[in-house]
Amino acid sequence: MAGYVGVFVSDPWLQNQFTQVELRSLKSHFMTMRRETSGGLKLADLQAKMSMIKHIRENLSEQERSSFLQDSYQNLGDEVDFELFLRVYLKLLALATERRGSGAKNASAFLKSPTSTLLHTISESEKASYVGHINNYLAEDKFLKKYLPLEPSTNDLFEIAKDGVLICKLINVAVPGTIDERAINTKRELNPWERNENHTLCLNSAKAVGCTVVNIGTQDFIEGRRHLVLGLISQIIKIQLLADLNLKKTPQLVELVDDIKDVEELMSLAPEKVLLRWMNFQMKKAGYTKTVTNFSSDVKDAEAYAHLLNVLAPEHSNPSTMKVKDPIEKAKLVLEHADRMGCKRYLTAKDIVEGCPNLNLAFVAHIFQHRNGLSTQTNQISFLETLPDDTQISREERSFRFWINSHGNSTYINNIFEDVRNGWVLLETLDKLSPGIVNWKITTKPPIKMPFRKVENCNQVVKIGRQLKFSLVNIAGNDIVQGNKKLILAYLWQLMRFNILQLLKNLRFHSHGKEIFDADILEWANSKVRNSGGQTRMASFKDKSLSDGKYFLELLSAVLPRSVDWSLVTKGESDEEKKMNATYIISIARKLGCSIFLLPEDIIEANQKMILTLTASIMYWILKQPLEERSCGSSDSESGSILDTTSNSTTDDTASESSTDDNSVK
């Protein structure tokens, strides 16, 4: 092959963390460290050797690096290969970020904090609670029932998580239909490749349902890193428990607002904020005058819980609960009340008194699911029926929201249209996709009180978009501040598209640094299918014939023949068969290592934006693989020819197939 073939990294998750330029630089550091160390590079050597890397040296002392390594690895005498070096590097980066104080202060408390790679200890109470949840919800699963129930006092949870099946199944409990179980490797004994595929599938699927999985890799599951595994499980379970805390699932929530004008504000709140508002609404009925603002210090005395349960289930109340002064005793009586209601505990009396936020939130969320005490006869519910139900906007908002959150920004986005209005998270995302492009000296960090500061942030967002050649005719920063849905979605689509095209361009050993256009991706996909003997063709990214899923199944089979089990593929004639194929396609792509955020409906309806991202993600995945690892049977020249002869597409993105007028902002 002509040109540089790149640095080989076998772990798909690690491949996704770096460009080839970054890998070459880190490989150079790694080789220098090895040369300077007689007898091979050991983990213990890294505490000093990592000072070779500037941003590690400037932000972490040798003592901090030493403490990190001692906490993270049992045997510091283990030899370090390149992939282990990369994992240590990523975790030190996370530690450096935390030390600088740029952590997730504004993030959703339950979604962000559990995944920090710095939490090397775990809460035994949390582990026991989540084990109980798993035992309850997965007890009848055909594959897992032979392993369940798990014993909370042991490390069984982390052992069974090592093959990836448990977490895949748990994701499907939290958000049904996310993973096509036909794509999960469920043999009794999995080889390392099959196990790695399951972990890759669960991590990409977790991102697609809203989990933050920055700095969690497949190796962390295999090595049983308990704080990371428990952190991911915590997020998945809480997504399940908070699933009903929105007006679409529970329209009775409108009872929480006095004025119809407040409905939009309620719709924009994070699920845990809605839960707090509901809790305060119910306690007010019981005459409780304090306002609960968190699931930690404000509930430690169990007083709020006593009032909440008395309102929701007065028939199970115990008069002694209100008289008891000792917090532990009161908490015990509260949990007995919950038991009589039929609610799962999720926590102990000690957890309440100690203010464990994750478990308190889970407890209250389960109470809400079991009995919310809201009226079904409120006048506002009829008002909700008059609100426009734009399914397309809703799906796109979801996709872009989870895509932004996957980058691990300091702010966790709960509602795109509300949470990007100050411009900060867009600037953070832009800086991650194109480091150095943001002028941070002229930005204002949240909380932002002065409206013109928000406009300044958003003006820079628009300016950078134009710099990146986005189509932004007649758009100003104030349009983002005002929450213009159409314009925000148009900007985010172009940002996502820029990201994937930039990733493809960075594969210089294929593209030689040339610009990549939509037409190149289309031609690459069609040539792969054609050269593998496939019978289908994609005329454009909005080709309605794609709805049966056969084209993408042929494409996936072309890039990795064993990835598709054709005995599981339907004819794609009925709506149900089309959905089965679409779900299978998405799961296979994620299993390979594609980070994608589309839904089956996007394939069935041939949503050209999401079809482009799916095709480009598959292209990026296969072109990253070393030639010797590809089993598609194509020659080197076939694999690279599309990019080596980049089309003469105009540099005006609006001229390419996927950037038609409905995607551009005129």
Side-chain angles (χ1 to χ4, degrees):
M1 174 182 178
Y4 183 68
V5 297
V7 179
F8 172 54
V9 175
S10 61
D11 187 334
W13 178 82
L14 278 174
Q15 293 171 6
N16 284 330
Q17 307 308 306
F18 305 98
T19 66
Q20 281 293 323
V21 173
E22 291 168 332
L23 282 175
R24 288 200 294 273
S25 174
L26 289 167
K27 184 76 170 184
S28 175
H29 283 301
F30 172 71
M31 297 305 293
T32 301
M33 291 177 193
R34 286 186 60 178
R35 284 194 298 270
E36 293 179 352
T37 310
S38 58
L41 183 65
K42 303 292 194 297
L43 276 168
D45 299 322
L46 292 182
Q47 61 194 39
K49 294 297 181 184
M50 278 295 190
S51 63
M52 292 177 59
I53 302 175
K54 182 179 178 182
H55 44 269
I56 298 294
R57 178 179 68 250
E58 291 179 348
N59 292 288
L60 292 174
S61 67
E62 186 170 336
Q63 179 58 45
E64 287 173 323
R65 298 195 296 271
S66 176
S67 297
F68 162 79
L69 289 165
Q70 290 172 8
D71 288 343
S72 301
Y73 300 96
Q74 292 182 345
N75 188 359
L76 294 183
D78 287 348
E79 190 159 344
V80 179
D81 61 14
F82 184 51
E83 293 198 5
L84 178 55
F85 168 78
L86 291 176
R87 293 187 194 100
V88 174
Y89 169 76
L90 285 171
K91 294 179 191 302
L92 285 173
L93 275 185
L95 182 60
T97 300
E98 187 80 5
R99 289 289 186 267
R100 289 199 305 269
S102 57
K105 293 180 181 178
N106 299 319
S108 166
F110 75 93
L111 281 175
K112 197 78 172 182
S113 58
T115 60
S116 169
T117 55
L118 307 176
L119 299 179
H120 301 303
T121 58
I122 65 169
S123 162
E124 289 298 325
S125 290
E126 285 196 40
K127 184 181 76 168
S129 177
Y130 302 149
V131 165
H133 182 96
I134 289 167
N135 287 340
N136 181 61
Y137 283 95
L138 290 172
E140 299 305 314
D141 183 87
K142 291 181 181 178
F143 178 80
L144 292 174
K145 65 191 312 180
K146 56 180 173 285
Y147 303 107
L148 300 180
L150 300 175
E151 175 53 52
S153 62
T154 68
N155 284 326
D156 289 351
L157 172 62
F158 307 110
E159 287 301 314
I160 195 174
K162 286 183 177 180
D163 66 8
V165 178
L166 173 68
I167 298 183
C168 285
K169 300 272 189 178
L170 195 59
I171 289 171
N172 269 356
V173 170
V175 186
T178 299
I179 297 175
D180 190 321
E181 298 205 358
R182 296 173 294 177
I184 304 174
N185 299 319
T186 53
K187 293 192 311 187
R188 181 85 182 190
E189 295 292 334
L190 299 178
N191 62 43
W193 181 262
E194 292 167 329
R195 186 174 56 185
N196 189 73
E197 285 183 330
N198 280 351
H199 293 142
T200 303
L201 173 60
C202 86
L203 285 173
N204 281 321
S205 299
K207 283 195 290 186
V209 299
C211 294
T212 301
V213 295
V214 177
N215 291 330
I216 303 177
T218 59
Q219 193 68 19
D220 293 311
F221 292 99
I222 296 167
E223 295 177 1
R225 297 198 185 287
R226 302 189 304 162
H227 61 290
L228 295 176
V229 174
L230 200 68
L232 181 58
I233 289 172
S234 168
Q235 292 187 77
I236 295 167
I237 288 176
K238 286 163 188 172
I239 284 172
Q240 176 188 344
L241 292 175
L242 296 173
D244 293 339
L245 280 151
N246 60 75
L247 287 172
K248 187 174 182 181
K249 292 281 187 69
T250 313
Q252 296 87 352
L253 283 167
V254 294
E255 190 179 350
L256 304 185
V257 296
D258 297 323
D259 194 318
I260 288 177
K261 294 178 181 178
D262 296 329
V263 170
E264 284 197 18
E265 179 197 350
L266 185 65
M267 292 172 72
S268 69
L269 289 178
E272 68 270 32
K273 296 293 184 184
V274 176
L275 190 62
L276 283 170
R277 182 174 286 200
W278 166 80
M279 188 177 178
N280 285 309
F281 174 81
Q282 297 294 358
M283 293 186 302
K284 190 176 180 181
K285 296 178 183 177
Y288 190 70
T289 56
K290 295 180 182 178
T291 299
V292 175
T293 62
N294 58 62
F295 293 103
S296 182
S297 58
D298 287 357
V299 295
K300 281 184 176 182
D301 59 5
E303 194 72 31
Y305 286 153
H307 284 84
L308 176 66
L309 296 184
N310 277 349
V311 169
L312 297 176
E315 71 276 17
H316 297 302
S317 63
N318 181 343
S320 302
T321 305
M322 292 301 187
K323 299 175 183 177
V324 171
K325 299 299 181 185
D326 180 60
I328 280 283
E329 290 304 314
K330 188 182 285 287
K332 288 179 180 177
L333 292 172
V334 161
L335 293 177
E336 289 173 6
H337 192 162
D339 283 343
R340 292 192 292 272
M341 286 173 62
C343 290
K344 298 180 186 65
R345 288 196 174 194
Y346 282 99
L347 77 179
T348 64
K350 183 182 177 184
D351 295 323
I352 293 176
V353 173
E354 291 181 352
C356 179
N358 282 345
L359 296 184
N360 275 300
L361 184 145
F363 178 57
V364 178
H366 185 70
I367 292 171
F368 176 87
Q369 283 189 341
H370 189 75
R371 187 179 296 192
N372 62 41
L374 297 172
S375 171
T376 58
Q377 305 298 322
T378 57
N379 295 329
Q380 292 98 319
I381 292 180
S382 60
F383 165 75
L384 288 177
E385 297 172 359
T386 67
L387 292 176
D389 181 22
D390 195 324
T391 305
Q392 183 68 29
I393 285 181
S394 178
R395 286 213 309 266
E396 289 190 8
E397 187 275 337
R398 175 189 185 276
S399 296
F400 295 142
R401 172 162 40 95
F402 291 159
W403 173 70
I404 287 179
N405 286 334
S406 73
H407 291 93
N409 295 318
S410 66
T411 302
Y412 187 89
I413 297 296
N414 292 289
N415 182 296
I416 281 286
F417 306 123
E418 292 298 319
D419 295 345
V420 304
R421 288 171 63 173
N422 62 24
W424 185 259
V425 73
L426 292 176
L427 290 170
E428 281 192 305
T429 306
L430 284 162
D431 197 57
K432 286 180 182 292
L433 302 186
S434 186
I437 203 167
V438 176
N439 182 356
W440 293 108
K441 294 180 181 179
I442 60 171
T443 63
T444 303
K445 188 175 182 179
I448 305 173
K449 295 181 179 179
M450 304 298 290
F452 76 93
R453 295 296 185 190
K454 297 179 183 179
V455 175
E456 286 178 343
N457 281 354
C458 292
N459 280 342
Q460 186 176 180
V461 168
V462 173
K463 181 181 178 182
I464 293 172
R466 292 199 174 102
Q467 185 179 332
L468 298 176
K469 300 180 181 179
F470 293 179
S471 178
L472 299 172
V473 181
N474 296 326
I475 293 186
N478 195 51
D479 293 311
I480 298 175
V481 176
Q482 295 299 319
N484 186 309
K485 292 184 179 182
K486 181 180 178 182
L487 300 184
I488 290 172
L489 289 178
Y491 188 97
L492 289 172
W493 155 237
Q494 293 181 86
L495 185 58
M496 180 188 276
R497 178 172 168 270
F498 163 79
N499 180 215
I500 190 65
L501 294 181
Q502 194 71 9
L503 288 173
L504 288 168
K505 179 184 175 183
N506 286 341
L507 293 173
R508 295 181 186 278
F509 55 98
H510 281 287
S511 70
H512 304 304
K514 296 178 182 178
E515 294 292 334
I516 307 300
F517 297 96
D518 301 9
D520 300 312
I521 300 169
L522 183 67
E523 174 57 27
W524 173 85
N526 281 330
S527 73
K528 293 300 287 185
V529 173
R530 183 173 61 249
N531 293 340
S532 68
Q535 303 300 308
T536 57
R537 181 180 179 278
M538 177 165 54
S540 72
F541 294 115
K542 56 181 179 181
D543 187 341
K544 294 301 181 185
S545 69
L546 299 173
S547 65
D548 63 9
K550 291 180 181 177
Y551 177 84
F552 283 107
L553 289 164
E554 289 193 346
L555 177 59
L556 289 164
S557 183
V559 300
L560 189 64
R562 68 178 183 81
S563 65
V564 178
D565 183 345
W566 287 98
S567 68
L568 302 176
V569 176
T570 74
K571 293 181 180 179
E573 294 175 350
S574 66
D575 290 343
E576 183 180 352
E577 288 182 341
K578 288 178 180 179
K579 187 165 186 177
M580 288 178 68
N581 283 351
T583 306
Y584 191 42
I585 289 164
I586 293 170
S587 293
I588 293 173
R590 287 178 179 150
K591 182 178 175 179
L592 291 181
C594 299
S595 182
I596 50 177
F597 298 87
L598 74 165
L599 294 169
E601 290 79 6
D602 293 316
I603 296 177
I604 296 168
E605 296 171 12
N607 178 333
Q608 66 183 91
K609 298 177 184 178
M610 297 304 154
I611 292 293
L612 170 60
T613 60
L614 172 60
T615 312
S617 295
I618 296 170
M619 180 181 181
Y620 179 63
W621 176 81
I622 187 60
L623 293 182
K624 282 193 309 179
Q625 308 309 308
L627 287 173
E628 63 271 19
E629 294 295 314
R630 297 181 196 163
S631 54
C632 57
S634 61
S635 69
D636 174 27
S637 61
E638 288 172 336
S639 299
S641 61
I642 298 303
L643 294 184
D644 290 340
T645 56
T646 305
S647 74
N648 293 320
S649 303
T650 171
T651 55
D652 178 5
D653 291 340
T654 59
S656 63
E657 178 59 48
S658 74
S659 299
T660 51
D661 290 345
D662 59 323
N663 293 330
S664 304
V665 182
K666 303 291 186 181

